[in-house]
Amino acid sequence: MKRVKYTIANWKMNGGKDSIKLVKLLARHIKKTGHIKSKVIICPPYTLLSDFIRLEKKMIYGAQDCHYQDKGAYTGSISAQMIKSIGCKYVIIGHSERREYQKESSNELRLKIQAAVNNNMRVIYCIGEKLSEIKNRMQVLKKQISTLNNNLDINNIIIAYEPIWAIGSGKTPKIIEINSIHKNIRTLLSKKFGVRKSNKISILYGGSVNSLNASDILKLEHVDGALVGGASLNYRDFSKIIDSYL
Ligand code: PEP
């Protein structure tokens, strides 16, 4: 089954007023190489999003989080509706750093996902086990997948499998293991949504993807792209990762 491939840059809390240069370089690189193998999406901090959207229209953008209400007394928060209104179509939800530092619960994540989908945005939903949970990995992932409502429009859902212990650590599961975990994730999705629907969901790998390991990971049968943190902040590294599909 042919699925959409994605290369998604999660800039986290990085980037400043000069970062548009990186976005422009990447847009030029994609145009020059005629790259069509994956959709490249940049997810910068909120402060840069509207500038980027205005200054480089050839790139696709995502936010790193959203609130579940459209508006209201939620100081410091930004809603899916607000993000959509500036022309941003993608949003990362459930990243392990937010689950940990912002104590985001499954219930809150469910509401955020629903809010994003209601606003016609595509959700990059992150799941992944801690180091101490490796033995129970599939149970952990099953529980995280159960956060998705059964009646959700899955056309708007992308899964990013990110083992928490692999994020920013330089470690990854063995390449062959990544493939089998992704296969098992699809089985979980099939049980929940049915085979036909779940076959449409792209499942990305994230966690220490870099210019050296990208081609091995991205050629795996069950991997539909990558969510990239650290290496997405560097033009050479990220452009090499994008080119790894070729
Ligand atoms: C991430 O945090 O989503 C991530 C994949 O980070 P890194 O690539 O730096 O491990």
Side-chain angles (χ1 to χ4, degrees):
M1 165 104 196
K2 232 177 158 358
R3 273 178 289 273
V4 182
K5 306 242 181 210
Y6 295 93
T7 315
I8 303 184
N10 175 15
W11 282 19
K12 311 192 187 197
M13 199 167 69
N14 294 294
K17 60 180 169 42
D18 289 339
S19 303
I20 187 65
K21 286 185 198 151
L22 173 54
V23 178
K24 286 200 172 282
L25 278 174
L26 287 167
R28 203 184 313 152
H29 178 82
I30 292 166
K31 190 167 178 228
K32 198 173 70 196
T33 54
H35 205 283
I36 45 158
K37 292 267 163 84
S38 76
K39 274 194 180 179
V40 178
I41 301 170
I42 310 279
C43 303
Y46 288 132
T47 47
L48 300 174
L49 254 182
S50 50
D51 271 357
F52 284 6
I53 290 170
R54 188 167 45 83
L55 296 171
E56 182 47 79
K57 296 195 168 38
K58 288 192 283 297
M59 191 60 87
I60 310 171
Y61 302 97
Q64 296 175 18
D65 178 48
C66 66
H67 198 274
Y68 55 85
Q69 293 286 7
D70 283 345
K71 59 182 176 181
Y74 298 97
T75 302
S77 297
I78 296 186
S79 68
Q81 191 181 64
M82 289 167 164
I83 298 165
K84 183 68 195 299
S85 74
I86 59 166
C88 176
K89 297 189 184 69
Y90 291 81
V91 58
I92 298 173
I93 294 179
H95 192 281
S96 59
E97 286 154 12
R98 292 199 60 87
R99 288 184 196 254
E100 184 179 352
Y101 304 130
Q102 270 71 36
K103 305 276 173 270
E104 290 186 337
S105 65
S106 309
N107 197 38
E108 188 177 355
L109 295 177
R110 182 175 293 120
L111 295 172
K112 287 184 179 207
I113 293 166
Q114 198 58 57
V117 171
N118 289 348
N119 280 285
N120 217 3
M121 295 188 73
R122 294 238 157 95
V123 173
I124 301 138
Y125 177 55
C126 300
I127 58 173
E129 80 286 351
K130 298 182 184 142
L131 189 59
S132 58
E133 296 170 329
I134 286 184
K135 281 201 181 119
N136 306 320
R137 175 187 285 134
M138 289 323 293
Q139 274 139 279
V140 172
L141 299 181
K142 186 175 177 194
K143 188 150 182 277
Q144 292 170 337
I145 286 172
S146 74
T147 296
L148 300 172
N149 283 335
N150 286 345
N151 57 0
L152 205 61
D153 180 355
I154 51 87
N155 289 316
N156 288 328
I157 302 296
I158 297 161
I159 299 285
Y161 167 61
E162 299 203 301
I164 297 172
W165 52 273
I167 294 178
S169 65
K171 294 183 187 137
T172 66
K174 292 197 187 81
I175 298 295
I176 168 172
E177 227 184 330
I178 294 177
N179 203 37
S180 64
I181 298 166
H182 278 232
K183 188 169 182 230
N184 292 337
I185 292 173
R186 187 161 309 285
T187 304
L188 290 176
L189 292 170
S190 308
K191 285 189 182 143
K192 190 171 171 64
F193 296 111
V195 176
R196 195 178 54 82
K197 278 187 177 179
S198 68
N199 269 343
K200 291 188 192 161
I201 304 177
S202 300
I203 306 175
L204 320 185
Y205 171 78
S208 293
V209 174
N210 58 41
S211 56
L212 300 176
N213 61 19
S215 59
D216 284 340
I217 295 172
L218 295 172
K219 71 178 176 219
L220 292 170
E221 183 190 351
H222 298 287
V223 172
D224 304 310
L227 178 54
V228 186
S232 72
L233 293 163
N234 179 287
Y235 171 68
R236 275 171 172 256
D237 290 339
F238 195 58
S239 54
K240 269 193 192 160
I241 294 172
I242 294 171
D243 291 346
S244 301
Y245 293 89
L246 295 174

